[in-house]
């Protein structure tokens, strides 16, 4: 019997709605994973975290910042151990801090030529003499900076940091402090993160410090640090984090510790928390997920200007400008905020968040007893809420008219979001929400516009994946045929570009950290606009360096030409910036650009923790090396011969040299771009380049006299062009060496 048309259509909507609900529940159950839902859950968490951050100062924790001013006054990092001993004494003795955490690793003894010479002298001249050995033992401390720092740490509430590693070789350096829970305490918890190597402090420092902890962070798939391991396994034992170790040091040192599981016992299948005893007799409970990580309760956007924590320059501490006891009873963390020391993290609270402030936020959260928690029943909660909402949607949406279905769908979404938010605000519970919202809205949309979302789903996913990599116009082009594009790695001939700021350290020495950040952001923004305007794909930012490539994900036959034109436009953008800086009386900035074309792998690469759409291969490494050559030849753009050939006509190149770069045995011809693309060279430039070609040919042929004459002429004509001065020095050096060898050879024949 054939059903009437309306009923047939309703049955199809019921089935389609049911499919959506089933798929949502399968995702929640872990039977399959939908990346956008995980991304949405992270985005919801980030948004709620930012909305609820207290944005109030916590005067219990102070950050001593080894900032640009400190480096300018006391030299680049690492500082001498004597300087660090002075810092420890000033903070612990004179300021009477409750605890001091040093967010750095001293994995090697300080190089001390005086101490080495003293030991060698005693060994060589008085071998086997107990008196000499005794004298050395009593007096070497006067020149042993490591011993000086060890003495400064001894008996003081100081926590040192170290890092855990995982590699095939299980490399280990330094000495670890005692574990929080001895082996085999980690064996009962299969989900606990475990490492097989570490980089720790030298034994003398580890033994002298009160405690220590690891400062590993766990970035999510998008590279954002939302959680930090509080405990971790190594060799069957359980070790504590840097934040936990510092907090415990402030309360009088170690006490009992036990890991909590789902059944409330010390053993079980899933880790739920940690309970540690403090030296003052109190107990601290920290909620954990099965991996042993805790969500970071960020207080504000981070940095010295955010106001969450008091930042004090290490230079002020070392100069003794702080009044005695002004930090009494505070927990002090010593760390870095300078971009050059690479301790900035992407977090929900900020894209360049100081790593040391992550630890500060964890300490604040533990002191306040407010650590957000992903409970072990999160998956069960998600499945139950999806099931209840699914019943409502399957039964109601197909049977209701448009306005009724709209009200039911939006009402269901509002109930799911309201309950989830109440649990977050009132009980610090972080529970899944994205799947329920998406399921509800998808079911609503399907019932209101049949098939619309099913047809455009691939396009939305593609746009979401590539929006941060490529210009919007390329995304729109990709959306016309989304089936042609994939994140799967493949080998392609592409062109890759590296652009790095030159002399940035010198320019930034007199700048405040926020000024440095503003300059870097300004430069990278201008360069990114140029790359996007030339249809390039942004790969990544590395400090003050930007990496981009052409030819993927959208194929382009002229990828080399596009990259070269983008490089020239980037130099013009920097010139505009320097004009603005000159008007303000500021120092100019320069960039060096390296370009190479070749076969490289492109696609999603990384680990199950973090993936990125990127390029890899020898051709990529060569481009990075070419960028470094811009400093050698003092030019803005250096390209390989392959790029020069692939870029085609309309470009004015000048051969620089044939070089053998690190990591490659075969020499590489390198070229500089001397004129704007598609612009004919002036008569003077054409004559200059012609004479240079003759000079370079003479040089390579060994005709030093002819080469010298031409290079000297070029250096005289264009005195500001470093390349000619460089070759003039080369030719002169070879000619002098030849003249010195000739008399020697004549003398040997007598």
């Amino acid at each position: 019997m054939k059903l009437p048309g309306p009923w047939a259509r309703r049955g199809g909507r019921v089935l389609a709605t049911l499919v959506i609900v089933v798929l949502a529940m399968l995702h929640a159950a872990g039977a399959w994973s939908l990346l956008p839902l995980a991304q949405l859950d992270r985005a919801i968490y980030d948004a709620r975290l930012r909305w609820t951050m207290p944005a109030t100062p916590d005067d219990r924790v102070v950050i001593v910042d080894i900032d640009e001013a400190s480096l300018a006054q006391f030299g680049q990092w690492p500082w001498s151990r004597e300087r660090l001993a002075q810092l420890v004494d000033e903070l612990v003795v004179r300021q009477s801090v409750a605890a001091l955490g040093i967010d750095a690793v001293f994995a090697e003894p300080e190089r001390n030529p005086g101490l080495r010479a003293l030991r060698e002298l005693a060994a060589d001249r008085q071998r086997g003499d107990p008196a000499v050995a005794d004298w050395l033992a009593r007096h070497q401390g006067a020149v042993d900076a490591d011993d000086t720092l060890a003495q400064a740490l001894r008996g003081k509430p100081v926590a040192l940091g170290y890092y855990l590693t995982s590699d095939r070789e299980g490399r280990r350096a330094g000495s670890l402090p005692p574990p929080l829970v001895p082996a085999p305490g980690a064996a009962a918890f299969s989900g606990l993160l475990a490492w097989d190597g570490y980089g720790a402090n030298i034994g003398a420092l580890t033994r002298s410090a009160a405690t220590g902890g690891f400062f590993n962070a766990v970035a999510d798939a998008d590279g954002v640090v939302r959680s930090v391991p509080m405990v971790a396994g190594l060799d069957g034992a359980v070790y504590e984090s840097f934040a936990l170790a510092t907090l415990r040091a402030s309360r009088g040192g170690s006490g009992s510790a036990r890991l909590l599981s789902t059944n409330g016992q010390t053993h079980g299948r899933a880790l739920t928390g940690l309970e540690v005893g403090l030296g003052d007799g109190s107990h601290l409970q920290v909620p954990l997920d099965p991996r042993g990580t805790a969500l970071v309760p960020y207080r504000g956007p981070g940095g010295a200007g955010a106001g969450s924590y008091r930042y004090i320059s290490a230079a002020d501490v070392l100069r003794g400008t702080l009044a005695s006891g002004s930090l009494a009873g505070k927990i002090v963390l010593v760390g870095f905020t300078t971009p050059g020391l690479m301790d900035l993290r992407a977090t929900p609270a900020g894209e360049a968040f100081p790593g040391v402030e992550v630890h500060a936020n964890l300490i604040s959260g533990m002191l306040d007893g407010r650590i957000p928690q992903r409970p072990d029943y999160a998956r069960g909660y998600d499945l139950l809420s999806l099931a209840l909402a699914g019943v409502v949607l399957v039964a109601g949406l197909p049977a209701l008219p448009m306005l009724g279905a709209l009200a039911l769908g939006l009402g269901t979404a509002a109930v799911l979001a309201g309950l989830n938010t109440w649990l977050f605000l009132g009980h610090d519970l972080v529970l899944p929400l994205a799947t329920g919202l998406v399921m509800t809205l998808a079911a609503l949309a399907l019932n209101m516009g049949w098939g619309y979302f099913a047809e455009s789903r691939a396009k939305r996913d593609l746009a979401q994946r590539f929006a941060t990599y490529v210009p919007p116009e390329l995304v729109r082009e990709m959306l016309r045929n989304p089936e042609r594009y994939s994140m799967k790695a493949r080998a392609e001939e592409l062109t890759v570009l590296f652009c790095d700021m030159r002399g940035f350290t010198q320019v930034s020495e007199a700048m405040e950290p926020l000024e440095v950040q503003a300059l870097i952001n300004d430069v990278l923004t201008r360069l990114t606009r140029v790359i996007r305007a030339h249809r390039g794909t942004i790969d990544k930012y590395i400090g003050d360096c930007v990496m981009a490539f052409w030819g993927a994900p959208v194929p382009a036959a002229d990828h080399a030409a596009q990259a070269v034109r983008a490089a020239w436009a980037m130099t013009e953008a920097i010139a505009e910036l320097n004009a603005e800086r000159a008007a303000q009386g500021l120092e100019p900035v320069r960039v060096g650009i390296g370009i190479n074309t070749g076969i490289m792998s492109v696609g999603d690469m990384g680990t199950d923790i973090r993936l990125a759409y990127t390029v890899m291969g020898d051709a990529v490494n060569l481009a990075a090396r070419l960028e470094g050559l811009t400093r050698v030849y003092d030019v803005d753009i250096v390209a390989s011969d392959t790029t020069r050939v692939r870029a085609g006509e309309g470009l004015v190149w000048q051969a620089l040299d044939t070089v053998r770069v690190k990591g490659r045995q075969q020499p590489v011809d390198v070229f500089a771009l001397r004129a704007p693309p598609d612009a004919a060279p002036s008569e003077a430039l054409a004559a200059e380049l012609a004479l240079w070609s003759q000079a370079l040919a003479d040089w390579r042929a060994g005709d030093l006299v002819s080469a010298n004459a031409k290079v000297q002429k070029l250096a005289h004509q264009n005195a500001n062009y470093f390349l000619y001065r460089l070759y003039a020095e080369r030719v002169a050096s070879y000619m002098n060496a030849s003249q010195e060898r000739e008399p020697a050879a004549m003398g040997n024949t007598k």
Side-chain angles (χ1 to χ4, degrees):
M1 178 179 175
K2 187 176 181 181
L3 294 175
W7 285 101
R9 289 193 295 272
R10 182 176 297 178
R13 291 171 62 185
V14 169
L15 180 61
T17 305
L18 183 61
V19 169
I20 292 176
V21 174
V22 171
L23 291 177
M25 295 188 68
L26 288 175
H27 169 78
W32 73 305
S33 180
L34 190 58
L35 180 61
L37 290 179
Q39 293 174 333
L40 180 57
D41 255 327
R42 291 192 290 266
I44 293 172
Y45 172 78
D46 293 349
R48 291 198 297 202
L49 181 68
R50 289 191 291 269
W51 293 338
T52 58
M53 290 189 304
T56 55
D58 185 353
D59 61 359
R60 300 167 299 183
V61 183
V62 176
I63 295 173
V64 172
D65 187 10
I66 302 177
D67 53 8
E68 292 287 353
S70 303
L71 298 177
Q73 180 167 355
F74 297 104
Q76 295 300 310
W77 185 263
W79 287 345
S80 71
R81 304 290 161 84
E82 291 180 348
R83 183 80 64 196
L84 293 169
Q86 179 188 354
L87 185 66
V88 171
D89 286 337
E90 174 66 24
L91 291 170
V92 179
V93 179
R94 187 166 177 267
Q95 298 299 331
S96 301
V97 302
L100 174 62
I102 302 177
D103 187 15
V105 180
F106 311 105
E108 297 179 354
E110 184 170 277
R111 296 180 180 178
N112 192 326
L115 179 60
R116 185 171 62 252
L118 184 62
R119 288 172 174 171
E120 291 175 354
L121 181 63
D124 294 340
R125 298 190 178 185
Q126 302 291 337
R127 190 178 303 274
D129 190 340
V132 174
D134 180 69
W135 181 89
L136 179 62
R138 287 185 287 107
H139 294 280
Q140 66 178 346
V143 293
D144 188 351
D146 291 324
D147 184 70
T148 300
L149 180 56
Q151 292 292 340
L153 297 174
R154 191 164 291 121
K156 298 181 177 66
V158 179
L160 298 180
Y162 60 89
Y163 59 89
L164 301 173
T165 62
S166 286
D167 57 39
R168 294 180 179 178
E169 299 179 3
R171 287 183 286 255
R172 304 183 176 195
S175 174
L176 292 180
L180 184 68
V181 180
F189 304 94
S190 60
L192 181 65
L193 292 176
W195 280 265
D196 52 23
Y198 56 83
N201 300 281
I202 61 174
L205 302 183
T206 299
R207 291 189 296 272
S208 296
T211 185
F214 61 85
F215 42 62
N216 297 64
V218 177
D220 291 330
D222 56 358
V224 177
V225 176
R226 299 178 178 88
S227 57
V228 170
M230 298 298 291
V231 292
L234 176 69
D235 296 336
V238 179
Y239 290 83
E240 61 185 320
S241 70
F242 176 69
L244 179 59
T246 304
L247 175 60
R248 295 175 70 212
S250 71
R251 297 294 184 88
S254 62
S256 61
R258 65 179 184 134
L259 300 174
L260 306 177
S261 65
T262 51
N263 58 11
Q265 304 299 317
T266 56
H267 291 76
R269 292 179 295 175
L271 183 63
T272 61
L274 168 69
E275 183 181 87
V276 294
L278 303 178
D280 58 4
S282 61
H283 286 79
L284 174 70
Q285 285 195 346
V286 183
L288 305 175
D289 68 10
R291 301 180 304 164
T293 67
L295 291 164
V296 182
Y298 293 103
R299 299 182 64 86
S308 298
Y309 300 94
R310 179 186 177 187
Y311 275 75
I312 301 174
S313 175
D316 293 336
V317 178
L318 291 170
R319 287 196 301 264
T321 58
L322 299 179
S324 178
S326 59
L327 301 180
K330 311 292 187 185
I331 298 176
V332 175
L333 301 177
V334 177
F336 314 91
T337 61
T338 55
L341 295 179
M342 307 299 291
D343 194 26
L344 299 177
R345 312 289 178 87
T347 71
E351 296 182 354
F353 199 93
V356 65
E357 195 166 335
V358 174
H359 306 305
N361 279 278
L362 281 168
I363 293 174
S364 296
M366 288 187 286
L367 290 173
D368 294 334
R370 54 169 300 271
I371 300 290
Q373 178 184 7
R374 288 194 180 100
D376 60 295
Y377 55 79
R379 176 169 293 179
Y381 167 88
D382 200 19
L383 288 170
L384 179 60
S385 61
L386 290 174
L388 295 175
V391 170
V392 173
L393 297 173
V394 171
L397 288 179
L400 293 173
M402 180 178 295
L403 292 180
L406 181 63
L408 178 63
L410 296 180
T412 302
V415 171
L416 291 174
L419 176 62
N420 194 281
T421 302
W422 175 73
L423 292 172
F424 177 79
L425 296 176
H427 302 277
D428 289 325
L429 294 177
V430 180
L431 297 167
L433 177 60
T435 306
L437 291 180
V438 170
M439 179 193 73
T440 302
L441 297 178
L444 175 62
L446 183 142
N447 281 271
M448 297 185 67
W450 179 261
Y452 174 77
F453 281 95
E455 296 173 0
S456 63
R457 183 173 184 175
K459 296 182 178 181
R460 294 197 312 273
D461 287 349
L462 189 67
Q464 190 172 25
R465 285 173 176 263
F466 283 100
T468 59
Y469 296 111
V470 301
E473 58 270 19
L474 292 189
V475 175
R476 290 191 292 269
E477 184 176 328
M478 296 167 66
L479 291 178
R480 299 190 188 105
N481 297 287
E483 66 280 355
R484 295 175 53 190
Y485 305 98
S486 170
M487 307 288 284
K488 187 177 181 180
R490 64 190 187 279
E492 295 280 354
E493 183 185 84
L494 309 173
T495 298
V496 63
L497 176 150
F498 283 83
C499 179
D500 193 18
M501 293 179 64
R502 293 161 55 182
F504 176 72
T505 301
Q506 182 178 357
V507 174
S508 62
E509 282 180 348
M511 301 172 65
E512 296 293 329
L514 292 179
E515 295 175 331
V516 174
Q517 182 184 24
L519 175 59
I520 291 177
N521 290 344
D522 189 13
V523 171
L524 293 181
T525 298
R526 294 172 187 252
L527 298 179
T528 299
R529 288 172 179 168
V530 172
I531 293 170
R532 287 195 164 216
H534 289 78
R535 299 171 65 87
T537 300
I538 299 294
D539 189 299
K540 62 175 68 73
Y541 303 103
I542 313 168
D544 56 354
C545 173
V546 60
M547 174 184 172
F549 57 90
W550 281 258
V554 179
D558 60 341
H559 51 80
Q562 290 176 341
V564 173
R565 284 164 168 77
W568 187 270
M570 292 163 75
T571 63
E572 293 179 332
I574 295 300
E576 294 176 359
L577 171 64
N578 285 331
E580 298 173 6
R581 291 179 61 82
Q584 303 172 28
L586 300 175
E587 292 288 327
V589 298
R590 288 192 65 185
V591 296
I593 302 173
I595 316 172
N596 183 46
T597 302
I599 301 297
M600 56 194 76
S601 297
V602 59
D604 255 351
M605 300 184 192
T607 68
D608 56 350
I609 298 177
R610 180 178 182 181
L611 287 173
Y613 188 77
T614 187
V615 291
M616 293 183 176
D618 181 64
V620 179
N621 298 333
L622 178 56
R625 304 295 185 212
L626 297 183
E627 183 277 319
L629 291 180
T630 61
R631 299 170 177 84
V632 177
Y633 300 99
D634 195 27
V635 295
D636 294 332
I637 302 171
V638 173
S640 67
D641 187 48
T642 308
T643 297
R644 179 187 67 84
V645 173
R646 294 288 195 274
E649 304 295 329
L651 300 169
V652 180
W653 297 99
Q654 181 178 24
L656 296 177
D657 210 341
T658 300
V659 299
R660 183 174 283 108
V661 300
K662 184 178 180 181
R664 291 175 65 99
Q665 294 184 350
Q666 296 297 323
V668 180
D669 293 328
V670 294
F671 298 81
L673 190 63
R674 289 297 307 273
D678 302 319
S682 63
E683 293 184 3
L685 178 58
E688 177 186 325
L689 295 179
L691 182 59
W692 167 250
S693 296
Q694 298 171 14
L696 190 60
D698 291 341
W699 162 255
R700 290 172 173 172
D703 189 352
L704 300 180
V705 176
S706 180
N708 183 57
K710 294 181 177 65
V711 170
Q712 291 293 342
K713 183 178 180 180
L714 288 167
H716 178 73
Q717 292 176 351
N718 195 348
N720 294 326
Y721 196 44
F722 176 75
L723 178 68
Y724 301 145
R725 300 201 308 272
L726 174 65
Y727 269 84
E729 294 174 0
R730 283 187 184 179
V731 174
S733 176
Y734 271 78
M735 293 178 69
N736 292 335
S738 298
Q739 293 172 0
E740 292 174 358
R741 287 195 300 269
E742 184 175 346
M746 294 176 62
N748 291 334
T749 61
K750 289 183 178 181

